[in-house]
Each structure stands twice: as structure tokens, then as C-alpha cells.
């Protein structure tokens, strides 16, 4: 229920509609329990897409974990991560081809632009540590040497 409401709020925000009535439904959500399983879903997705593509989603994830993040920002981030890594799709790639990929990109870009000022050096460090744990430091060195 939280993910569906969050996705609806994100869609409304992208379209410029009022989200206050929907946002009230999520004011009392226990966010720490909601996001606990997201990292487990992010990891297999990251292996499929690679280190560079996984970085922005991990940045969003760590902003989501921050206790100072507002409910609206949490909703947007939760919706964007869920929409990208879970097997739900409003515009399925098999049917809509390029549009099926663009909808996820639009969601990510919209949310990233809204919260990028919340990315602290501590969050960047946590993201890089997580990526190093998942991919290993050697991966980054190989990629750098190929450039």
C-alpha cells in the first residue's frame, strides 16, 4: 500500500498536481521498517546494471535513511527506487520499447533533481563504501584504466 501510494504521489508531482490529500495517508508510516528491505532489492539490480548506474539509486537510498529527510522527500525517493528495482512497470518495455525505459529515467531524474542538495560528503562516502563492498575496489581501478 505504501509503495502504490508513493508511486501515485510521484506521478502527481511530475504532472504538477496537488498531493497533500495523498501525503496525509503516509504521515505515520514507519519509514525505517519500509526501507529495510530495499537494499536487498537494490543489490541484485546493481549487479545487472553496473556500478555507475547503481550509484544514483544508492545516493537516494541513503538520503531516504536519513532521519532529517521530510516525508515528501521520503515518498518520492521510495517511489523512485521501488519503480526502478521492482518488477512493476506502468509502461512495459516489451510493449512500449523506448518509452518503457524512459519512464523510469524520468522518475529517477525528477527525484534526483529534487533531493540532490541533500547529498552530503558522508552520504557519498557510504555510497562508495557500499559499491566497493558489492563490486570490489579492483572494478573501479579497471574501469579507470580503460578510460
Amino acid at each position: 500500500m505504501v509503495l502504490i501510494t508513493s508511486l501515485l504521489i510521484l506521478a502527481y508531482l511530475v504532472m504538477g498536481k496537488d498531493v497533500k490529500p495523498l501525503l496525509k495517508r503516509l504521515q505515520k508510516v514507519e519509514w525505517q521498517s519500509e526501507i529495510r528491505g530495499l537494499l536487498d532489492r537494490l543489490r541484485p539490480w546493481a549487479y545487472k546494471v553496473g556500478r555507475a548506474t547503481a550509484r544514483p539509486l544508492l545516493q537516494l537510498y541513503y538520503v531516504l535513511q536519513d532521519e532529517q529527510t521530510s516525508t515528501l522527500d521520503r515518498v518520492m525517493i521510495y517511489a523512485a527506487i521501488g519503480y526502478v528495482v521492482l518488477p512493476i512497470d506502468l509502461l512495459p518495455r516489451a510493449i512500449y520499447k523506448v518509452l518503457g525505459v524512459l519512464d523510469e529515467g524520468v522518475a529517477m531524474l525528477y527525484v534526483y533533481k529534487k533531493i540532490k542538495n541533500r547529498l552530503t560528503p558522508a552520504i557519498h562516502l557510504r555510497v562508495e563504501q557500499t559499491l566497493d563492498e558489492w563490486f570490489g575496489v579492483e572494478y573501479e581501478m579497471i574501469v579507470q584504466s580503460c578510460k
Side-chain angles (χ1 to χ4, degrees):
M1 181 67 177
V2 173
L3 181 59
I4 292 170
T5 305
S6 297
L7 287 168
L8 191 56
I9 289 171
L10 180 57
Y12 275 27
L13 286 168
V14 170
M15 294 184 294
K17 295 190 175 199
D18 182 31
V19 297
K20 289 178 187 165
L22 287 170
L23 197 56
K24 286 182 183 178
R25 295 182 186 180
L26 300 178
Q27 289 294 336
K28 296 186 185 211
V29 169
E30 178 53 49
W31 285 104
Q32 293 306 321
S33 63
E34 287 293 327
I35 63 176
R36 206 166 284 126
L38 273 183
L39 194 61
D40 294 334
R41 292 188 181 266
L42 268 171
R43 190 175 190 162
W45 178 85
Y47 287 143
K48 289 180 191 174
V49 299
R51 184 182 184 113
T53 305
R55 185 173 284 114
L57 238 60
L58 273 174
Q59 290 170 335
L60 292 178
Y61 174 80
Y62 286 119
V63 171
L64 178 64
Q65 274 195 327
D66 186 351
E67 290 293 331
Q68 296 177 351
T69 302
S70 72
T71 301
L72 180 59
D73 286 348
R74 284 179 190 262
V75 168
M76 289 190 308
I77 294 167
Y78 188 74
I81 292 173
Y83 192 58
V84 170
V85 302
L86 297 175
I88 55 171
D89 223 346
L90 297 176
L91 299 174
R93 282 177 219 135
I95 297 171
Y96 296 102
K97 310 293 183 228
V98 174
L99 287 178
V101 175
L102 288 178
D103 64 332
E104 293 172 351
V106 167
M108 278 295 303
L109 186 59
Y110 180 85
V111 174
Y112 192 84
K113 286 179 86 173
K114 292 284 187 182
I115 64 93
K116 67 181 176 184
N117 62 332
R118 299 197 36 82
L119 296 173
T120 64
I123 287 174
H124 286 295
L125 180 62
R126 288 179 73 188
V127 167
E128 292 308 316
Q129 288 172 337
T130 302
L131 290 171
D132 287 346
E133 178 186 317
W134 290 355
F135 292 98
V137 179
E138 299 85 26
Y139 176 85
E140 185 71 22
M141 291 169 43
I142 291 169
V143 171
Q144 292 295 331
S145 67
C146 291
K147 289 183 179 180

